[in-house]
Amino acid sequence: MTLKFQSSSLLKWILPASASLAICGILFLTLTWAAGKADEAASSRQRGFITRAVTKLQSAIAHDQESVTVWDDAVGKSQRGDMAWIDANLGSWMHTYFGHDASLLLSPDLSLVYQFIEDREGSPDAQQFRDAYLPLATKLQARLARGDTQGTSAKVLSIGESDLARIGNRSAIVSIKPLISDTGNVVQAPGAEFLHVAIRFLDGDLPADIGQEYAFTNLRFTRDEPSERNATFIPVTSRDGAPVGFFRWEPFQPGNYVLRATAPALVLAFVTLFTGASLAGHALFRRSVRLAASRAELEHQASHDALTGLANRNFFAIRLASTLANAAADQRHCILFVDLDRFKTVNDTFGHPVGDRLIMMAAARMRDLLPKSLIARVGGDEFNILLSDADAHNVDEIARNIVAAVRAPFEIDTVQIAIGASVGAAVTTGPCDPIELTRKADIALYHAKAAGRNTHAIFGSHMDELLSNRRALEADLRLALQTHSQLETFYQPVYAADTGALSSLEALARWKHPTLGYVSPDQFIPLAEESGLIHEISALVLEDACRMLAEVPGIHIAVNASALELASPGYALRVLGILARWQVQPNRLEIELTESAMAPEKSELETTISTLRSAGVRFAIDDFGTGYSTFSRIQRIEVDRIKIDKSFIGEMHQGASRAVVSAMISMAKAKGLLVTAEGVETDEQRSALQDFGCDHLQGFLLSKPLPRSTAITLAAGDQKVSGIRA
């Protein structure tokens, strides 16, 4: 019976009581610690208040002085020795209005001219005053002599000197200001100004004023360090660190007040915990689980890209550095730089939400290809991949697979979007500097882009020179645009398919480099697009085309424009302005749109096209069939012509492509559109296009792009091309 009673007591009373006492004891200790910290914080805050109060008071005294020291009358009356005026304005008034305890006026030789002391019996003697203000006055006079204005502003009208000092057996704030003209009409030699000294003792009624303003209890000022047990104090020192005295006060202890107020609550907590200790334990456990999950989520967010879930730039750099530093001598690693081609066009065309979805889908494809490799999104459309072990030995195959995976169209909201990828790779064996390896991968990426994009390149020693040449070429292109030299406009004729008569010209940019000769457009146009120079080149071509229209009446000329140019707010006004300057009818100019301009959600572009069409400018869709444009979409934007891409014309010997070209022409005719075939290079292609009812032909079979002078001669002679069936 006794054993059973003891077991029951242990389960019912001892264990709950022990647990409750332990928890309440911990809670009490925690509250005691927190109370101590709160009291320390309050004490620190009060010390800060005192420091700021003294600093604020120094500034206020100097500001008070400027109400009488920046004054023509003060300068004149002091120079004439008008003691009644000086006493009324520079002495007793400063005490009556501002509460200054003493005011003194010093002559240019720093001798005492006048002094006002509010409490003469308890004040220091004249020598003690002089010992306090003389160093400051000497320093101020030297600053005035050299024209120093440091510290002046719209609120601080004159320079001054201020410090804390002991004056006899008292401590005070000493502030000195020069007497200067407020209008500038009273001229004084620099350093020969009268000086006004203002003194405010730190003892007396000042501590009570500060204590009332900042809610201090029993604030006092003493020259010696306080020895009271419960007092809090802060030393007051001059600028050179010399002790001036101490402010002491009874500390504000919010923590102690809270601790005493919570004592009854601790008793109630013991009773509550006694009956609910197990529930509290479960609650604490659940809270710990949630906190751990939140911490893990925050750590993941800090190291991963929010959009794709891939590693971010910082995490990739840390992992790369660690991996390369700890690599074995025979261990191979490779880093891939992947850059999505034409992604900016997708963003400009479809908007950022579609661009974000495209980024996520491209990331998923790369993750499926390389599930065990570290993949990071390091920029808007840029990815880094770290390959190790077997993958690092198959770099060429992996890079090709990435290019192929990204090249496959993405379907977003029933729209087929085709982009591409350029991949640069760098391989190393053993430990390696991560910065050097990433530099090589970056160079390889530039090499892949220069090779026409949608391909890959693995770093070789020759690529450093290629990158250097590319950068030099970009610099030369910038110089050519700045100097308005080297860049020319060539014109490729377009002929009527039925009669062979010259129909129009297409204006094309050509670059004649001073040492390299003519640079291929396939080389410098992508370079101009990457560097943002394409807009300037397009503007030069448009200007030359309009000048050509003015010189050769009756001819029509086409110029190319990207969707980004057309969507810019001022594009329509620029085009109409150039046409008006050359006095050219707008219907003689045709603007060829890239197919990205035909994608949905391009209200700005539609506005530009509508504005220019209403003025008479004609529009055509260039490279039709290769990207976004379809006959269903061009119903939104009214155009006059489609230009079938040369890739379809070149494959016309195949039955499928021949049928596609025929269908394009038939559908365009049904919609009332003119049709131009690009890239006509054989008689067979020309004959078939005539049979299909194509309106105009353009290609090397008929004519290559011509220099301006040759094009003018051709247009003026209205020549026909041979071989056209009339």
Side-chain angles (χ1 to χ4, degrees), residues 63 81 167 254 392 442 473 481 546 573 590 599 604 641 644 689 722:
H63 183 71
I167 307 177
D442 194 33
L473 195 64
L481 285 168
C546 290
L573 291 178
E590 184 173 83
E604 301 91 346
R641 173 194 310 274
I644 301 175
L689 289 166
S722 62

Side-chain angles (χ1 to χ4, degrees), residues 385-461:
I385 303 175
L386 177 62
L387 303 179
S388 302
D389 303 325
D391 287 341
H393 290 271
N394 299 317
V395 178
D396 191 69
E397 179 183 355
I398 289 174
R400 281 200 304 269
N401 291 340
I402 292 173
V403 172
V406 177
R407 183 191 297 139
F410 296 85
E411 184 171 345
I412 302 178
D413 295 335
T414 71
V415 177
Q416 294 283 336
I417 299 178
I419 58 172
S422 298
V423 180
V427 183
T428 185
T429 301
C432 175
D433 180 5
I435 296 178
E436 178 64 15
L437 189 63
T438 55
R439 185 187 73 85
K440 292 178 178 179
D442 194 33
I443 292 173
L445 177 62
Y446 273 108
H447 185 72
K449 290 181 178 180
R453 302 175 180 270
N454 223 12
T455 186
H456 73 281
I458 301 175
F459 178 81
S461 57

Side-chain angles (χ1 to χ4, degrees), residues 138-390:
T138 303
K139 183 176 181 180
L140 176 59
Q141 197 171 61
R143 291 179 61 194
L144 291 167
R146 64 174 179 266
D148 185 1
T149 60
Q150 183 177 2
T152 60
S153 65
K155 294 183 178 180
V156 180
L157 306 178
S158 63
I159 63 172
E161 292 291 335
S162 178
D163 200 1
L164 302 174
R166 285 191 174 182
I167 307 177
N169 60 355
R170 303 186 71 177
S171 301
I173 297 172
V174 180
S175 177
I176 304 181
K177 284 281 188 174
L179 271 60
I180 61 175
S181 171
D182 60 325
T183 63
N185 295 330
V186 180
V187 180
Q188 302 181 85
E193 295 88 349
F194 280 76
L195 303 181
H196 183 265
V197 182
I199 295 174
R200 182 73 188 272
F201 291 116
L202 297 177
D203 51 12
D205 58 354
L206 179 61
D209 294 341
I210 297 176
Q212 182 176 4
E213 181 177 356
Y214 292 96
F216 283 87
T217 302
N218 197 21
L219 179 67
R220 294 189 310 227
F221 181 84
T222 62
R223 290 192 57 179
D224 301 319
E225 182 176 332
S227 58
E228 295 94 327
R229 180 179 178 184
N230 295 327
T232 300
F233 62 89
I234 181 174
V236 181
T237 61
S238 61
R239 283 189 295 189
D240 60 4
V244 174
F246 299 83
F247 278 105
R248 54 88 58 212
W249 65 94
E250 294 179 9
F252 172 55
Q253 297 180 314
N256 191 30
Y257 300 150
V258 171
L259 188 61
R260 289 199 301 269
T262 54
L266 286 175
V267 177
L268 179 61
F270 173 77
V271 175
T272 303
L273 289 171
F274 183 74
T275 58
S278 60
L279 294 177
H282 283 292
L284 289 173
F285 175 76
R286 289 192 296 271
R287 183 182 179 190
S288 298
V289 170
R290 289 195 299 270
L291 287 174
S294 299
R295 187 180 300 110
E297 178 64 21
L298 288 174
E299 290 176 354
H300 182 272
Q301 292 177 2
S303 60
H304 288 74
D305 174 55
L307 181 63
T308 62
L310 299 175
N312 60 19
R313 180 189 294 271
N314 185 56
F315 183 80
F316 184 86
I318 294 172
R319 178 70 67 84
L320 176 65
S322 174
T323 300
L324 296 180
N326 299 316
D330 60 346
Q331 191 174 11
R332 194 174 189 185
H333 292 92
C334 173
I335 184 172
L336 300 177
F337 277 20
V338 182
D339 193 64
L340 301 185
D341 298 331
R342 298 186 299 276
F343 175 74
K344 187 176 186 303
T345 301
V346 175
N347 255 351
D348 294 337
T349 302
F350 295 98
H352 289 284
V354 172
D356 288 346
R357 291 174 62 184
L358 181 62
I359 287 290
M360 290 189 288
M361 295 172 73
R365 291 184 183 182
M366 286 185 275
R367 196 159 37 207
D368 291 341
L369 279 175
L370 301 165
K372 297 181 180 180
S373 298
L374 176 62
I375 307 175
R377 183 188 179 209
V378 298
D381 59 348
E382 301 170 3
F383 299 85
N384 287 359
I385 303 175
L386 177 62
L387 303 179
S388 302
D389 303 325

Side-chain angles (χ1 to χ4, degrees), residues 452-473:
R453 302 175 180 270
N454 223 12
T455 186
H456 73 281
I458 301 175
F459 178 81
S461 57
H462 66 289
M463 289 187 180
D464 273 323
E465 182 179 355
L466 290 175
L467 180 61
S468 177
N469 292 340
R470 182 178 177 85
R471 289 173 177 166
L473 195 64

